[in-house]
Amino acid sequence: MEQEYTLQIENLRSSFLTDNGEVKAVNEVSINVPKGSIVGIVGESGCGKSMTARSVMRLLKYPGKIMGGSILLEGKDLTQLSEKEMQSVRGGEISMIFQEPMTSLNPVVKVGKQVSEAAMLHQNISAAEAKELVLEIFRRVGISEAEKRYESFPHQLSGGLRQRVMIAMAMICRPKLLIADEPTTALDVTVEAQILKLMKQLRDETGMSIIIISHNLGVIAELCDYVYVMYAGRVVEEADVFTLFESPRHPYTKGLLNSVSALELEQERLETIPGSVPNLRRLPAGCAFCARCAYAMEYCPEQLPQLQEVAHGHRVRCHLVEGGAANGEE
Ligand code: SF4
């Protein structure tokens, strides 16, 4: 049976147009989100993962701009929609939740009213019907004492409860796609585990698709079916979650996985990939990872590696895998 996709991002280019020239933050990125799947986008800060998500929502902050490519939501190209059309897509067909709910919730409006208003904005229902719907979804996302929480202001709730409110707000219109940008980074590990379980459960119940953006490979491993690894604005490796964790092929992915092992051992933040993310204004013509790569060859800084399929559904952007020469033992 032919695979159906909720979202297909093709050759997306998004840049910051600054006085000092164009900064290519998302560079020819293609990402597919099959219906009902959870897709992870992982990488360090500044790799382009959040910019990719904001491009999908058409919420790039000035001087950010989509420069090219297409973003197909069930075949409809979001890059071609008017701002008015996009407003009904946002919160209706696609919802997004962010790392810190306080930045998305209005501090002076009770949370129940905020979620009700979102429901009424996208569905033709009365205030009383919206309240019923909100209470139902509050219970569904594990908010205990739903009536009491409905009347609470954001600051009266814990971080975990606020994130549950955001998930309720995102879910209320039954979106086709939920984009979660670092949804559990601000939470402690127990609450994080509960939120991740909840997201998976909601996917199973509703069949919606989810994109999780995270720098945390633990979150990605826990939740995702398929993973894209980004570096300096490009996808450098993509595979199903088992393949990525069992047989990573890109030196950067390997470095990320090693840093997780080191973290588990040392219980503190360790930088195991030498160097730092390159300045997007001064990228080499070739592989952007070359300055940090232990396997860099003479021509790596000059020649841009292309994404190569090394196994079914497993693609890698590295000269080591080109021409079928590499066997993973590099
Ligand atoms: Fe390292 Fe070269 Fe591969 Fe880049 S292309 S990751 S520098 S071996």
Side-chain angles (χ1 to χ4, degrees):
M1 210 169 74
E2 205 179 316
Q3 179 78 66
E4 286 186 75
Y5 294 99
T6 302
L7 190 77
Q8 290 171 289
I9 301 175
E10 285 170 13
N11 298 324
L12 177 67
R13 289 183 291 117
S14 295
S15 299
F16 293 109
L17 301 178
T18 72
D19 291 343
N20 298 320
E22 180 182 351
V23 180
K24 294 179 178 172
V26 177
N27 204 345
E28 302 282 343
V29 164
S30 296
I31 288 175
N32 287 325
V33 182
K35 274 208 165 110
S37 69
I38 304 184
V39 168
I41 307 178
V42 69
E44 294 163 289
S45 302
C47 70
K49 55 191 192 306
S50 292
M51 183 90 169
T52 302
R54 286 191 164 272
S55 300
V56 173
M57 296 296 279
R58 294 256 310 267
L59 285 175
L60 291 180
K61 289 189 189 132
Y62 179 83
K65 190 170 189 297
I66 295 176
M67 305 298 289
S70 57
I71 301 169
L72 304 179
L73 178 71
E74 292 189 342
K76 174 172 62 183
D77 190 352
L78 302 183
T79 67
Q80 303 302 315
L81 299 189
S82 66
E83 180 49 32
K84 191 153 184 276
E85 288 167 325
M86 261 321 282
Q87 280 171 10
S88 75
V89 169
R90 286 186 214 113
E93 293 175 89
I94 309 180
S95 287
M96 188 159 175
I97 53 176
F98 298 91
Q99 177 178 337
E100 180 37 77
M102 276 310 258
T103 57
S104 311
L105 289 168
N106 185 334
V108 296
V109 179
K110 291 173 180 171
V111 293
K113 186 159 186 275
Q114 295 189 51
V115 184
S116 289
E117 281 173 356
M120 287 162 67
L121 188 69
H122 292 281
Q123 298 177 50
N124 193 16
I125 54 175
S126 68
E129 286 168 328
K131 183 170 182 183
E132 273 314 301
L133 196 61
V134 173
L135 289 174
E136 186 195 316
I137 199 154
F138 271 14
R139 291 185 196 105
R140 198 146 145 230
V141 300
I143 297 175
S144 58
E145 301 181 276
E147 285 85 357
K148 185 175 155 200
R149 306 298 187 201
Y150 188 96
E151 301 296 338
S152 300
F153 290 98
H155 72 270
Q156 294 173 312
L157 304 178
S158 65
L161 273 175
R162 284 199 290 265
Q163 199 55 294
R164 283 176 197 264
V165 168
M166 285 311 300
I167 293 174
M169 177 111 80
M171 296 299 303
I172 197 104
C173 297
R174 299 179 169 273
K176 294 170 181 160
L177 177 68
L178 174 69
I179 303 178
D181 190 355
E182 305 278 5
T184 58
T185 302
L187 306 174
D188 71 46
V189 282
T190 317
V191 182
E192 176 178 64
Q194 291 168 356
I195 296 288
L196 295 182
K197 195 171 158 213
L198 169 65
M199 291 178 68
K200 211 166 192 168
Q201 197 183 327
L202 290 172
R203 185 276 303 262
D204 293 344
E205 284 171 18
T206 64
M208 69 176 172
S209 307
I210 301 178
I211 296 178
I212 298 277
I213 292 162
S214 184
H215 65 279
N216 183 335
L217 280 166
V219 168
I220 297 289
E222 178 73 29
L223 214 57
C224 297
D225 304 308
Y226 202 81
V227 186
Y228 290 80
V229 181
M230 286 187 71
Y231 190 79
R234 291 186 192 273
V235 171
V236 295
E237 185 157 11
E238 55 180 272
D240 68 80
V241 70
F242 300 107
T243 303
L244 193 92
F245 280 79
E246 289 297 315
S247 322
R249 298 289 294 277
H250 196 285
Y252 177 61
T253 314
K254 291 181 180 185
L256 282 181
L257 287 166
N258 285 340
S259 50
V260 172
S261 316
L263 272 171
E264 282 165 1
L265 289 174
E266 304 287 336
Q267 293 298 306
E268 62 184 74
R269 282 199 167 271
L270 292 180
E271 181 76 18
T272 55
I273 306 176
S276 53
V277 179
N279 186 332
L280 292 177
R281 290 179 194 280
R282 289 193 289 274
L283 290 178
C287 174
F289 190 58
C290 60
R292 303 171 76 186
C293 181
Y295 309 100
M297 295 165 282
E298 211 177 314
Y299 55 92
C300 288
E302 309 301 331
Q303 290 177 24
L304 181 68
Q306 302 301 313
L307 269 179
Q308 302 276 326
E309 183 143 44
V310 293
H312 181 65
H314 185 184
R315 281 182 274 277
V316 183
R317 186 187 293 281
C318 173
H319 290 307
L320 289 170
V321 305
E322 283 173 354
N327 56 12
E329 301 297 320
E330 62 265 35

